Amino acid sequence: AAFKKNGKRKSSEGSGSNSKTTAPAKRLSREEEVNLTTDIRNLKSAIETRDQLAATKTAPNRNPVIPNHMYKDAIPKYPYKEQPTEEEWAAACGMSKLQLRKTVIAGRNAHSLLVSANVGLVLQIAKRYDYELRKSVDSGGGGVGTILTLNDLVQEGTLGLMTAAERFDSEKGARFGTYAVFWIKQRILRSITDNSRVIRLPAHVHTQIRSIRKARTDFEKESGRAPSIPELSNRLDMSADKLQLYNDSSRSVLSLEQPIFGNRSSSSKSGSGDQDKRTIGERIASDGNTPEEDAEAHSLKSDISNLICTLNDREQAVIRMRFGLDDGKQLTLKETGRNLGISSERVRVIENRALNKLRHPQRNYRLKDYVGQLEDEINVFQQRNERQKTPEEKDARVQLTPEKIWSF
Protein backbone atom coordinates (compact mmCIF):
# COMPACT_ATOMS: atom_id res chain seq x y z
CA ALA A 1 0.00 0.00 0.00
CA ALA A 2 2.87 2.32 0.79
CA PHE A 3 4.50 1.51 -2.55
CA LYS A 4 1.27 2.36 -4.39
CA LYS A 5 0.92 5.57 -2.46
CA ASN A 6 4.48 6.57 -3.23
CA GLY A 7 4.03 5.59 -6.84
CA LYS A 8 0.99 7.82 -7.16
CA ARG A 9 2.83 10.68 -5.51
CA LYS A 10 5.79 10.17 -7.78
CA SER A 11 3.67 10.11 -10.92
CA SER A 12 1.85 13.29 -9.89
CA GLU A 13 5.12 15.05 -9.21
CA GLY A 14 6.54 13.99 -12.56
CA SER A 15 3.51 15.00 -14.58
CA GLY A 16 3.03 18.37 -12.87
CA SER A 17 -0.11 20.34 -13.49
CA ASN A 18 -0.95 18.37 -16.65
CA SER A 19 -1.90 15.31 -14.60
CA LYS A 20 -5.31 16.80 -13.83
CA THR A 21 -6.17 17.31 -17.46
CA THR A 22 -4.85 14.02 -18.84
CA ALA A 23 -6.31 11.76 -16.13
CA PRO A 24 -9.84 10.48 -16.79
CA ALA A 25 -12.37 12.51 -14.84
CA LYS A 26 -14.49 10.64 -12.34
CA ARG A 27 -18.07 11.33 -11.41
CA LEU A 28 -18.37 13.80 -8.56
CA SER A 29 -20.51 13.09 -5.55
CA ARG A 30 -23.02 15.55 -4.17
CA GLU A 31 -20.69 16.54 -1.35
CA GLU A 32 -17.85 17.22 -3.77
CA GLU A 33 -20.10 19.36 -5.93
CA VAL A 34 -21.17 21.36 -2.88
CA ASN A 35 -17.56 21.95 -1.85
CA LEU A 36 -16.50 23.00 -5.36
CA THR A 37 -19.50 25.28 -5.72
CA THR A 38 -18.65 26.93 -2.40
CA ASP A 39 -15.11 27.67 -3.59
CA ILE A 40 -16.42 29.15 -6.85
CA ARG A 41 -18.92 31.35 -5.02
CA ASN A 42 -16.19 32.59 -2.67
CA LEU A 43 -14.09 33.55 -5.71
CA LYS A 44 -17.01 35.38 -7.29
CA SER A 45 -17.67 37.23 -4.05
CA ALA A 46 -14.03 38.30 -3.84
CA ILE A 47 -14.06 39.52 -7.45
CA GLU A 48 -17.24 41.53 -6.87
CA THR A 49 -15.63 43.10 -3.79
CA ARG A 50 -12.58 44.06 -5.84
CA ASP A 51 -14.74 45.70 -8.50
CA GLN A 52 -16.71 47.66 -5.92
CA LEU A 53 -13.47 48.82 -4.33
CA ALA A 54 -12.07 49.88 -7.70
CA ALA A 55 -15.28 51.79 -8.45
CA THR A 56 -14.95 53.81 -5.28
CA LYS A 57 -11.27 54.62 -5.87
CA THR A 58 -11.56 56.05 -9.35
CA ALA A 59 -14.22 57.05 -11.85
CA PRO A 60 -14.67 54.46 -14.56
CA ASN A 61 -13.59 55.08 -18.13
CA ARG A 62 -16.81 55.20 -20.12
CA ASN A 63 -15.42 53.22 -23.04
CA PRO A 64 -17.08 49.83 -22.56
CA VAL A 65 -15.16 46.64 -23.12
CA ILE A 66 -16.42 44.18 -25.73
CA PRO A 67 -19.09 42.27 -23.77
CA ASN A 68 -18.40 38.65 -22.94
CA HIS A 69 -21.55 37.13 -21.47
CA MET A 70 -19.67 34.08 -20.21
CA TYR A 71 -17.45 36.01 -17.84
CA LYS A 72 -19.70 38.96 -17.10
CA ASP A 73 -19.63 38.04 -13.41
CA ALA A 74 -15.81 38.09 -13.33
CA ILE A 75 -15.05 41.05 -15.62
CA PRO A 76 -16.32 44.59 -14.88
CA LYS A 77 -18.45 46.26 -17.52
CA TYR A 78 -16.16 49.30 -17.55
CA PRO A 79 -12.35 49.26 -17.09
CA TYR A 80 -11.12 51.20 -14.08
CA LYS A 81 -8.02 53.35 -14.27
CA GLU A 82 -6.77 52.24 -10.84
CA GLN A 83 -7.12 48.79 -9.37
CA PRO A 84 -6.89 48.18 -5.60
CA THR A 85 -3.74 46.69 -4.20
CA GLU A 86 -3.69 43.19 -2.85
CA GLU A 87 -3.62 44.47 0.72
CA GLU A 88 -6.67 46.67 0.11
CA TRP A 89 -8.47 43.86 -1.62
CA ALA A 90 -7.80 41.44 1.24
CA ALA A 91 -8.85 44.02 3.82
CA ALA A 92 -12.12 44.68 1.97
CA CYS A 93 -12.82 40.94 1.91
CA GLY A 94 -12.03 40.63 5.63
CA MET A 95 -9.13 38.21 5.22
CA SER A 96 -5.37 38.20 5.00
CA LYS A 97 -3.32 38.22 1.80
CA LEU A 98 -2.54 34.54 2.20
CA GLN A 99 -6.21 33.67 2.67
CA LEU A 100 -7.12 35.77 -0.36
CA ARG A 101 -4.61 33.98 -2.53
CA LYS A 102 -5.85 30.61 -1.30
CA THR A 103 -9.42 31.66 -2.07
CA VAL A 104 -8.54 32.70 -5.63
CA ILE A 105 -6.52 29.55 -6.31
CA ALA A 106 -9.16 27.29 -4.77
CA GLY A 107 -11.91 28.95 -6.81
CA ARG A 108 -10.03 28.59 -10.08
CA ASN A 109 -9.15 24.96 -9.39
CA ALA A 110 -12.72 24.20 -8.36
CA HIS A 111 -14.06 25.74 -11.57
CA SER A 112 -11.63 23.71 -13.69
CA LEU A 113 -12.37 20.48 -11.82
CA LEU A 114 -16.14 20.94 -12.01
CA VAL A 115 -15.96 21.58 -15.75
CA SER A 116 -13.53 18.74 -16.54
CA ALA A 117 -15.61 16.25 -14.56
CA ASN A 118 -18.66 16.91 -16.76
CA VAL A 119 -17.06 17.02 -20.21
CA GLY A 120 -18.58 13.63 -20.95
CA LEU A 121 -22.04 15.16 -20.57
CA VAL A 122 -21.12 17.79 -23.14
CA LEU A 123 -19.91 15.14 -25.58
CA GLN A 124 -23.10 13.11 -25.16
CA ILE A 125 -25.37 16.06 -25.86
CA ALA A 126 -23.18 17.31 -28.73
CA LYS A 127 -23.28 13.91 -30.44
CA ARG A 128 -27.07 13.85 -30.32
CA TYR A 129 -27.38 17.31 -31.87
CA ASP A 130 -24.68 16.50 -34.42
CA TYR A 131 -26.64 13.42 -35.51
CA GLU A 132 -29.83 15.48 -35.86
CA LEU A 133 -27.93 18.13 -37.79
CA ARG A 134 -26.46 15.63 -40.25
CA LYS A 135 -29.84 13.98 -40.67
CA SER A 136 -31.51 17.28 -41.45
CA VAL A 137 -28.82 18.01 -44.05
CA ASP A 138 -29.36 14.64 -45.73
CA SER A 139 -33.12 15.14 -45.80
CA GLY A 140 -32.61 18.62 -47.24
CA GLY A 141 -31.12 17.33 -50.47
CA GLY A 142 -27.44 17.24 -49.61
CA GLY A 143 -25.45 20.14 -50.96
CA VAL A 144 -23.17 22.30 -48.91
CA GLY A 145 -24.90 21.18 -45.74
CA THR A 146 -23.55 22.57 -42.50
CA ILE A 147 -20.18 24.10 -41.70
CA LEU A 148 -20.39 22.96 -38.06
CA THR A 149 -18.50 19.86 -36.97
CA LEU A 150 -18.76 17.74 -33.85
CA ASN A 151 -15.74 19.54 -32.40
CA ASP A 152 -17.52 22.88 -32.84
CA LEU A 153 -20.57 21.61 -30.98
CA VAL A 154 -18.40 20.21 -28.20
CA GLN A 155 -16.63 23.55 -27.91
CA GLU A 156 -19.89 25.47 -27.68
CA GLY A 157 -21.24 22.98 -25.16
CA THR A 158 -18.11 23.38 -23.04
CA LEU A 159 -18.64 27.14 -22.98
CA GLY A 160 -22.18 26.53 -21.76
CA LEU A 161 -20.80 24.17 -19.13
CA MET A 162 -18.44 26.89 -17.91
CA THR A 163 -21.39 29.27 -17.61
CA ALA A 164 -23.28 26.65 -15.60
CA ALA A 165 -20.30 26.22 -13.28
CA GLU A 166 -20.31 29.95 -12.56
CA ARG A 167 -24.08 30.13 -11.94
CA PHE A 168 -24.74 26.84 -10.14
CA ASP A 169 -26.20 27.05 -6.66
CA SER A 170 -25.97 23.80 -4.71
CA GLU A 171 -28.46 25.00 -2.09
CA LYS A 172 -31.33 24.55 -4.55
CA GLY A 173 -31.05 20.77 -4.12
CA ALA A 174 -30.38 19.83 -7.76
CA ARG A 175 -27.29 18.08 -9.07
CA PHE A 176 -24.87 20.01 -11.20
CA GLY A 177 -25.36 17.76 -14.23
CA THR A 178 -29.11 18.41 -14.23
CA TYR A 179 -28.54 22.14 -14.05
CA ALA A 180 -25.77 22.17 -16.67
CA VAL A 181 -27.86 20.42 -19.34
CA PHE A 182 -29.90 23.58 -19.90
CA TRP A 183 -26.86 25.79 -20.49
CA ILE A 184 -25.13 23.22 -22.68
CA LYS A 185 -28.19 22.86 -24.90
CA GLN A 186 -28.67 26.60 -25.04
CA ARG A 187 -25.14 27.22 -26.32
CA ILE A 188 -25.31 24.38 -28.84
CA LEU A 189 -28.71 25.43 -30.18
CA ARG A 190 -27.56 29.04 -30.45
CA SER A 191 -24.50 27.93 -32.41
CA ILE A 192 -26.65 25.81 -34.72
CA THR A 193 -29.02 28.72 -35.28
CA ASP A 194 -26.25 31.22 -36.07
CA ASN A 195 -23.64 29.12 -37.89
CA SER A 196 -25.13 25.85 -39.14
CA ARG A 197 -26.37 27.11 -42.51
CA VAL A 198 -24.85 29.06 -45.36
CA ILE A 199 -27.97 31.26 -45.39
CA ARG A 200 -28.91 32.05 -41.82
CA LEU A 201 -32.47 31.43 -40.67
CA PRO A 202 -34.14 33.07 -37.66
CA ALA A 203 -34.24 31.17 -34.38
CA HIS A 204 -38.00 30.62 -34.47
CA VAL A 205 -37.71 29.09 -37.95
CA HIS A 206 -35.19 26.55 -36.63
CA THR A 207 -37.64 25.73 -33.83
CA GLN A 208 -40.48 25.20 -36.30
CA ILE A 209 -38.30 23.05 -38.55
CA ARG A 210 -37.37 20.81 -35.62
CA SER A 211 -41.05 20.50 -34.69
CA ILE A 212 -41.98 19.60 -38.27
CA ARG A 213 -39.19 17.02 -38.46
CA LYS A 214 -40.26 15.45 -35.16
CA ALA A 215 -43.92 15.32 -36.22
CA ARG A 216 -42.95 13.71 -39.52
CA THR A 217 -40.89 11.07 -37.74
CA ASP A 218 -43.69 10.27 -35.30
CA PHE A 219 -46.21 9.95 -38.14
CA GLU A 220 -43.93 7.55 -40.02
CA LYS A 221 -43.58 5.38 -36.92
CA GLU A 222 -47.33 5.26 -36.38
CA SER A 223 -48.53 4.71 -39.96
CA GLY A 224 -45.45 3.30 -41.66
CA ARG A 225 -45.47 5.86 -44.45
CA ALA A 226 -44.46 9.47 -45.06
CA PRO A 227 -47.17 12.02 -44.27
CA SER A 228 -48.65 14.30 -46.88
CA ILE A 229 -48.73 18.06 -46.56
CA PRO A 230 -52.41 18.20 -45.45
CA GLU A 231 -51.87 15.44 -42.87
CA LEU A 232 -48.77 17.07 -41.47
CA SER A 233 -50.39 20.51 -41.37
CA ASN A 234 -53.41 19.07 -39.53
CA ARG A 235 -51.13 17.35 -37.03
CA LEU A 236 -49.18 20.55 -36.34
CA ASP A 237 -52.23 22.83 -36.53
CA MET A 238 -50.50 24.87 -39.22
CA SER A 239 -51.61 26.07 -42.63
CA ALA A 240 -50.38 24.17 -45.68
CA ASP A 241 -48.81 27.27 -47.20
CA LYS A 242 -46.84 28.02 -44.04
CA LEU A 243 -45.74 24.41 -43.78
CA GLN A 244 -44.55 24.46 -47.39
CA LEU A 245 -42.63 27.67 -46.68
CA TYR A 246 -40.81 26.04 -43.77
CA ASN A 247 -40.02 22.98 -45.88
CA ASP A 248 -38.56 25.14 -48.63
CA SER A 249 -36.52 27.09 -46.08
CA SER A 250 -35.03 23.90 -44.63
CA ARG A 251 -33.46 22.86 -47.92
CA SER A 252 -29.70 22.85 -48.10
CA VAL A 253 -27.74 25.10 -50.42
CA LEU A 254 -26.24 23.30 -53.37
CA SER A 255 -22.76 24.40 -54.41
CA LEU A 256 -22.13 24.86 -58.13
CA GLU A 257 -18.50 23.82 -57.52
CA GLN A 258 -19.54 20.43 -56.18
CA PRO A 259 -18.36 17.52 -58.36
CA ILE A 260 -21.11 15.65 -60.14
CA PHE A 261 -19.94 12.23 -59.01
CA GLY A 262 -18.21 13.33 -55.81
CA ASN A 263 -15.62 10.82 -54.64
CA ARG A 264 -17.35 7.85 -56.20
CA SER A 265 -15.46 5.84 -58.75
CA SER A 266 -18.16 5.30 -61.35
CA SER A 267 -18.21 4.59 -65.04
CA SER A 268 -17.76 8.31 -65.76
CA LYS A 269 -14.02 8.03 -65.76
CA SER A 270 -12.19 9.11 -68.82
CA GLY A 271 -10.08 6.86 -70.97
CA SER A 272 -6.88 7.85 -69.19
CA GLY A 273 -8.22 6.54 -65.89
CA ASP A 274 -8.70 9.95 -64.29
CA GLN A 275 -11.86 10.62 -62.36
CA ASP A 276 -14.48 12.88 -63.86
CA LYS A 277 -14.02 16.22 -62.09
CA ARG A 278 -16.79 18.15 -63.81
CA THR A 279 -18.88 20.30 -61.47
CA ILE A 280 -22.61 20.89 -61.32
CA GLY A 281 -22.16 24.43 -62.59
CA GLU A 282 -20.69 23.09 -65.82
CA ARG A 283 -23.83 21.06 -66.52
CA ILE A 284 -26.43 23.80 -65.94
CA ALA A 285 -27.79 25.34 -69.14
CA SER A 286 -27.79 29.10 -69.47
CA ASP A 287 -29.99 31.32 -71.63
CA GLY A 288 -27.32 33.99 -71.77
CA ASN A 289 -24.60 34.39 -74.34
CA THR A 290 -21.50 32.25 -74.23
CA PRO A 291 -18.10 33.93 -73.85
CA GLU A 292 -17.48 33.34 -77.56
CA GLU A 293 -20.74 35.07 -78.49
CA ASP A 294 -19.95 38.01 -76.19
CA ALA A 295 -16.51 38.39 -77.74
CA GLU A 296 -17.97 38.20 -81.24
CA ALA A 297 -20.63 40.82 -80.41
CA HIS A 298 -17.98 43.14 -78.98
CA SER A 299 -15.86 42.68 -82.08
CA LEU A 300 -18.86 43.37 -84.33
CA LYS A 301 -19.65 46.60 -82.47
CA SER A 302 -16.05 47.71 -82.80
CA ASP A 303 -15.93 46.99 -86.56
CA ILE A 304 -19.25 48.74 -87.19
CA SER A 305 -18.07 51.76 -85.19
CA ASN A 306 -14.87 51.90 -87.25
CA LEU A 307 -16.91 51.57 -90.45
CA ILE A 308 -19.24 54.43 -89.50
CA CYS A 309 -16.27 56.63 -88.67
CA THR A 310 -15.43 56.69 -92.42
CA LEU A 311 -18.53 58.87 -93.00
CA ASN A 312 -18.74 62.61 -92.42
CA ASP A 313 -20.10 64.07 -89.19
CA ARG A 314 -23.64 64.69 -90.45
CA GLU A 315 -23.96 61.16 -91.90
CA GLN A 316 -22.56 59.58 -88.71
CA ALA A 317 -25.09 61.44 -86.60
CA VAL A 318 -28.00 60.39 -88.82
CA ILE A 319 -26.98 56.71 -88.88
CA ARG A 320 -26.40 56.56 -85.11
CA MET A 321 -29.77 58.16 -84.35
CA ARG A 322 -31.77 56.23 -86.91
CA PHE A 323 -30.43 52.81 -85.86
CA GLY A 324 -29.85 53.57 -82.15
CA LEU A 325 -26.19 52.63 -82.17
CA ASP A 326 -25.39 54.73 -79.08
CA ASP A 327 -28.28 54.14 -76.68
CA GLY A 328 -30.24 51.34 -78.43
CA LYS A 329 -33.21 53.66 -79.12
CA GLN A 330 -34.10 54.08 -82.79
CA LEU A 331 -35.47 57.51 -83.75
CA THR A 332 -37.88 58.30 -86.54
CA LEU A 333 -37.07 60.66 -89.43
CA LYS A 334 -38.99 63.46 -87.73
CA GLU A 335 -37.24 62.98 -84.36
CA THR A 336 -33.83 62.80 -86.03
CA GLY A 337 -34.51 65.97 -88.03
CA ARG A 338 -35.67 67.78 -84.88
CA ASN A 339 -32.44 66.87 -83.06
CA LEU A 340 -30.26 67.93 -86.00
CA GLY A 341 -32.31 71.01 -86.94
CA ILE A 342 -33.16 69.78 -90.45
CA SER A 343 -36.24 68.45 -92.19
CA SER A 344 -37.25 64.81 -92.22
CA GLU A 345 -36.83 64.62 -95.98
CA ARG A 346 -33.28 65.85 -95.66
CA VAL A 347 -32.66 63.14 -93.05
CA ARG A 348 -33.96 60.49 -95.46
CA VAL A 349 -31.62 61.71 -98.21
CA ILE A 350 -28.60 61.71 -95.89
CA GLU A 351 -29.50 58.24 -94.62
CA ASN A 352 -29.76 56.73 -98.10
CA ARG A 353 -26.48 58.33 -99.16
CA ALA A 354 -24.73 57.01 -96.03
CA LEU A 355 -26.10 53.49 -96.52
CA ASN A 356 -24.91 53.47 -100.14
CA LYS A 357 -21.44 54.43 -98.96
CA LEU A 358 -21.45 51.68 -96.33
CA ARG A 359 -22.44 49.07 -98.91
CA HIS A 360 -19.33 49.76 -100.95
CA PRO A 361 -16.96 46.72 -100.98
CA GLN A 362 -13.98 48.85 -99.99
CA ARG A 363 -15.77 49.80 -96.76
CA ASN A 364 -17.78 46.77 -95.66
CA TYR A 365 -15.29 43.99 -96.44
CA ARG A 366 -14.64 43.52 -92.70
CA LEU A 367 -18.32 42.77 -92.06
CA LYS A 368 -18.71 40.08 -94.69
CA ASP A 369 -17.73 37.34 -92.24
CA TYR A 370 -20.40 38.45 -89.78
CA VAL A 371 -23.07 38.69 -92.47
CA GLY A 372 -22.17 35.24 -93.82
CA GLN A 373 -22.35 33.73 -90.37
CA LEU A 374 -25.65 35.49 -89.72
CA GLU A 375 -27.10 34.14 -92.94
CA ASP A 376 -26.06 30.60 -91.97
CA GLU A 377 -27.74 30.97 -88.58
CA ILE A 378 -30.90 32.34 -90.22
CA ASN A 379 -31.00 29.40 -92.62
CA VAL A 380 -30.61 26.89 -89.80
CA PHE A 381 -33.31 28.65 -87.80
CA GLN A 382 -35.68 28.69 -90.77
CA GLN A 383 -35.10 25.02 -91.55
CA ARG A 384 -35.75 24.12 -87.94
CA ASN A 385 -39.04 26.05 -87.88
CA GLU A 386 -40.22 24.81 -91.27
CA ARG A 387 -41.03 21.41 -89.77
CA GLN A 388 -43.15 23.04 -87.05
CA LYS A 389 -45.16 25.39 -89.31
CA THR A 390 -48.53 24.76 -90.88
CA PRO A 391 -48.84 24.89 -94.70
CA GLU A 392 -50.30 28.38 -94.44
CA GLU A 393 -47.42 29.58 -92.27
CA LYS A 394 -44.82 28.09 -94.60
CA ASP A 395 -45.83 30.57 -97.28
CA ALA A 396 -44.72 33.47 -95.07
CA ARG A 397 -41.06 34.42 -95.35
CA VAL A 398 -38.96 36.33 -92.92
CA GLN A 399 -38.44 39.84 -94.24
CA LEU A 400 -35.23 41.44 -93.00
CA THR A 401 -35.32 45.23 -93.11
CA PRO A 402 -32.16 47.36 -93.10
CA GLU A 403 -32.97 48.29 -89.51
CA LYS A 404 -32.93 44.63 -88.43
CA ILE A 405 -29.68 43.98 -90.30
CA TRP A 406 -27.74 46.94 -88.91
CA SER A 407 -29.20 47.12 -85.40
CA PHE A 408 -27.40 45.30 -82.60
Side-chain angles (χ1 to χ4, degrees), residues 374-375 378 382 397-406:
L374 179 61
E375 291 177 354
I378 292 175
Q382 290 178 350
R397 293 294 182 265
V398 178
Q399 301 295 334
L400 296 178
T401 61
E403 289 80 3
K404 291 184 179 181
I405 296 177
W406 288 99

Side-chain angles (χ1 to χ4, degrees), residues 152-218:
D152 297 329
L153 299 182
V154 171
Q155 180 180 2
E156 294 293 333
T158 305
L159 295 177
L161 181 63
M162 295 171 65
T163 304
E166 296 174 1
R167 294 174 172 268
F168 178 63
D169 187 3
S170 59
E171 297 180 356
K172 301 294 183 180
R175 296 295 301 270
F176 176 74
T178 305
Y179 177 78
V181 167
F182 168 78
W183 292 99
I184 295 172
K185 289 183 177 180
Q186 185 191 52
R187 287 289 307 198
I188 292 178
L189 289 176
R190 183 183 301 173
S191 176
I192 292 175
T193 302
D194 295 338
N195 306 314
S196 63
R197 302 178 63 88
V198 178
I199 301 177
R200 185 185 180 279
L201 295 178
H204 72 280
V205 176
H206 280 273
T207 304
Q208 291 291 344
I209 291 175
R210 285 194 296 269
S211 301
I212 293 172
R213 190 179 299 114
K214 184 178 182 302
R216 183 182 290 109
T217 303
D218 295 340

Side-chain angles (χ1 to χ4, degrees), residues 3 72 99 102 113 149 185 193 221 297 330 345:
F3 175 77
K72 62 182 179 181
Q99 292 176 344
K102 288 183 178 180
L113 182 59
T149 62
K185 289 183 177 180
T193 302
K221 290 181 180 179
Q330 300 180 10
E345 182 64 23

Side-chain angles (χ1 to χ4, degrees), residues 302-362:
S302 178
D303 291 340
I304 292 178
S305 179
N306 295 333
L307 177 61
I308 294 177
C309 289
T310 60
L311 304 175
N312 57 44
D313 296 339
R314 178 61 63 86
E315 293 173 346
Q316 291 185 32
V318 171
I319 293 297
R320 291 183 182 278
M321 293 181 185
R322 287 285 291 137
F323 296 97
L325 301 182
D326 294 333
D327 54 2
K329 182 180 179 180
Q330 300 180 10
L331 302 182
T332 62
L333 295 175
K334 186 176 182 180
E335 293 173 344
T336 304
R338 187 185 304 113
N339 293 336
L340 297 178
I342 57 179
S343 63
S344 58
E345 182 64 23
R346 182 59 180 167
V347 172
R348 186 183 63 79
V349 173
I350 296 175
E351 179 185 355
N352 293 335
R353 184 174 65 240
L355 291 178
N356 291 331
K357 290 182 180 179
L358 295 176
R359 294 189 183 98
H360 196 277
Q362 293 182 356

Side-chain angles (χ1 to χ4, degrees), residues 41-43 45-47 49 85-105:
R41 292 177 64 182
N42 292 335
L43 175 60
S45 178
I47 292 176
T49 303
T85 61
E86 194 173 7
E87 292 79 3
E88 295 173 344
W89 187 11
C93 294
M95 60 182 69
S96 62
K97 289 177 56 177
L98 181 59
Q99 292 176 344
L100 178 62
R101 292 179 180 179
K102 288 183 178 180
T103 300
V104 173
I105 294 174

